[in-house]
Amino acid sequence: MQDVATRAGVSAKTVSRVFNDDPHVTEDTRQRVQSTMRELKYVPNMLARTFREGKSAVIGIAVPDVADPFFAAITKEIELAAREHDMAIVVTSLGDNPSLEQNIIETTVRRQIGGLIIAPIAADQSYLARWQDSFPIVFIDRTPIKLNADYFVEDDFGGAFEATQHLIAHGHRRIAIVGDSTDVPTTRLRLEGYRAALDDAGLRNDEELVVLGSRNADGAAQACKTLLALPDAPTAIFSSNARFSIGVFPALQALNRTDIALISYGDFPMADVLQPSVSVIDQDPRRVGRVAAERILARLATPAKRFRRKNVLPVRLIERQSCQSVPALSAPVDVP
């Protein structure tokens, strides 16, 4: 920067103003500095800027799987919000082994990030306490454990309750649920919502209709085939996340069982144009990403300000064709 300033006959501060498009620089000075920048092939040293200003222009993002449609949409929205504030992002996948979370996060933290947005997989995030005075930390989708921090989560219980209640209102009595392990807090809450809706309607909770523990879409597809092979098979399936729904839908197609009603907790690409189109509990991941990024930016801008740490975001049912079918032997019922 000093080399540019010397050759252009201005101060280093003026060079900075030109680079940041400050409107208070005269047009003649701007053109002279920009010409010199091109001649010297000048780009700012962001690492030096980090040390000088005492803060990084990078937001770290850690989610279980960046390929998951839900987390991919969140990450994209965080990136857009960061870009609006001249910041970048660094993204990492935590995977599904909780014992690796701390090492992965601490490796990310060492990259001199200015804030961290995390959807944790482990049962203890107390290791992050020593970093809280260095940069803001925001949790998404899952609440922090053994750590007091900002978080934005969806109404998992309420969404699952509404999905199951909706299927019951369509006349279904044998409703299955497929998903990953109840070690995952979101799955545990969705299972509770599913069971509460059955209880509320006076229906029996049949454990053979609860198939949890799948690790991916292929596992969910196999769970679907197992359920439909039961002597008293379900007439409807509630998939506890979008990743598994991507496995359940083609499994139903392969078995030629489009008569089985399906609701997915979480929307996914093409869900609205499939035949039949898939009903979903919409988590609005873009909103999750936006509010998380805005909280990071707000804490960076006003570190002394108090914010509400606990934030539960509403979800909504989007009804499509996949939950329209009604079993021939059951009549629809009114559910309050």
Side-chain angles (χ1 to χ4, degrees), residues 11-232:
S11 67
K13 188 172 184 178
T14 298
V15 175
S16 178
R17 286 175 173 170
V18 171
F19 186 84
N20 290 297
D21 202 25
D22 190 317
H24 298 97
V25 179
T26 66
E27 188 58 31
D28 177 67
T29 299
R30 185 184 306 279
Q31 290 182 7
R32 188 166 72 254
V33 171
Q34 288 176 338
S35 175
T36 304
M37 285 180 175
R38 289 192 293 270
E39 290 174 12
L40 297 180
K41 299 180 180 179
Y42 168 76
V43 292
N45 184 327
M46 297 307 293
L47 183 59
R49 176 179 170 183
T50 294
F51 285 122
R52 183 177 68 252
E53 297 181 355
K55 60 183 180 180
S56 172
V58 176
I59 297 175
I61 306 171
V63 296
D65 183 1
V66 294
D68 183 299
F70 175 65
F71 291 117
I74 287 177
T75 300
K76 181 62 177 178
E77 192 63 27
I78 295 172
E79 180 182 26
L80 291 175
R83 190 182 303 164
E84 291 168 6
H85 291 78
D86 196 26
M87 297 185 75
I89 64 170
V90 57
V91 187
T92 187
S93 287
L94 296 173
D96 56 12
N97 185 344
S99 67
L100 299 179
E101 177 183 298
Q102 181 173 347
N103 182 61
I104 294 172
I105 292 299
E106 290 184 344
T107 298
T108 302
V109 165
R110 293 189 193 104
R111 297 181 181 182
Q112 300 296 326
I113 61 174
L116 175 66
I117 297 174
I118 173 176
I121 61 172
D124 183 354
Q125 282 76 49
S126 60
Y127 65 89
L128 280 168
R130 63 193 176 113
W131 302 102
Q132 285 186 299
D133 290 337
S134 301
F135 52 80
I137 301 172
V138 173
F139 286 75
I140 54 171
D141 193 51
R142 306 163 189 187
T143 60
I145 301 174
K146 299 182 181 179
L147 183 75
N148 188 24
D150 295 343
Y151 65 79
F152 294 89
V153 297
E154 307 84 38
D155 183 7
D156 293 299
F157 179 94
F161 186 95
E162 183 178 8
T164 308
Q165 187 182 62
H166 187 75
L167 291 169
I168 294 170
H170 276 72
H172 296 280
R173 298 296 178 271
R174 298 282 290 169
I175 303 171
I177 180 173
V178 298
D180 48 20
S181 170
T182 52
D183 289 340
V184 179
T186 52
T187 301
R188 186 163 59 248
L189 287 169
R190 292 167 196 174
L191 177 62
E192 291 173 3
Y194 157 84
R195 284 177 167 159
L198 294 178
D199 290 340
D200 190 63
L203 298 178
R204 183 169 66 94
N205 273 274
D206 191 337
E207 287 303 317
E208 71 175 358
L209 297 182
V210 178
V211 184
L212 304 178
S214 301
R215 299 176 69 89
N216 50 41
D218 290 339
Q222 185 56 52
C224 179
K225 294 174 183 177
T226 300
L227 285 165
L228 295 183
L230 292 171
D232 189 8

